[in-house]
Structures are given as C-alpha cells and as structure tokens.
Amino acid sequence: MVTKKIKEILVLGLPVDWIMPGHGIIWRNNPLQIVNKYLEWADDYQKNQVTILYDTMWNSTRDMAEAIARGIRNSPCTPPVSKESPEDLALWSSGLSG
C-alpha cells in the first residue's frame, strides 16, 4: 500500500524542492532520495520482522518505543529496540543527507 501511494504521487511529476516533515530532518538536497529510499524499504518487506529505531531527549520517545515493542513481543516477532542519535540514523539510512 505504501509503494502504491508513493508511486501515485511520483507519477504526477510535480517538482519537489524540499520535503519538510512535521518532525525530523528537512530534506533540501535531492529530497526525492528519501522517497526512493522508502520505496526500497517497502519493497524489501520481511514478514514477522520489526525494527524500532528512535532518538529521544527526555525519554518519552523511548517509553513509546518500548511500549510498542512490548505489544509486538506478544506476536511471532521479537523486535530489537535501539536508541539512535540523529547521526546514527543518518548512517543507518545508507548515508542519505538532509
């Protein structure tokens, strides 16, 4: 479903100068690189596999990530949960630059 929606938007051929999410990195340099990365990630879907990555200043996001993981652990998955710095997340996402 994710890939279908992304492709519906890409087919419009609209120019994309920036991608500015409500929270997180503002993509100014080749903003479609993150869209293409999402397509790649969505196409590499693995059944029964979840990874939860997060960053937090006040531990509220950690608490949320741990709560999500607890809920998932009741399923066939055992998700790894890892606190990542913004720099680590950038490296994890194959060296994309915002």
Side-chain angles (χ1 to χ4, degrees):
M1 183 163 180
V2 170
T3 55
K4 179 182 174 190
K5 287 297 175 186
I6 291 173
K7 289 175 183 178
E8 284 176 13
I9 293 169
L10 290 177
V11 78
L12 298 174
L14 300 171
V16 178
D17 296 325
W18 291 14
I19 295 178
M20 300 174 13
H23 186 78
I25 296 172
I26 296 175
W27 297 90
R28 295 182 188 107
N29 180 16
N30 186 17
L32 289 179
Q33 68 182 312
I34 191 60
V35 174
N36 291 322
K37 201 63 176 168
Y38 275 119
L39 285 172
E40 180 185 326
W41 292 330
D43 285 340
D44 194 32
Y45 172 78
Q46 300 291 316
K47 188 174 181 176
N48 294 331
Q49 179 180 342
V50 176
T51 301
I52 301 168
L53 302 172
Y54 69 92
D55 186 25
T56 187
M57 287 182 71
W58 309 108
N59 292 323
S60 58
T61 306
R62 184 199 68 207
D63 294 343
M64 181 177 61
E66 291 291 347
I68 292 167
R70 279 192 303 276
I72 293 170
R73 286 184 184 117
N74 293 327
S75 74
C77 291
T78 303
V81 179
S82 177
K83 182 195 181 307
E84 304 291 339
S85 70
E87 294 81 14
D88 292 336
L89 290 172
L91 288 173
W92 180 83
S93 62
S94 298
L96 298 175
S97 59

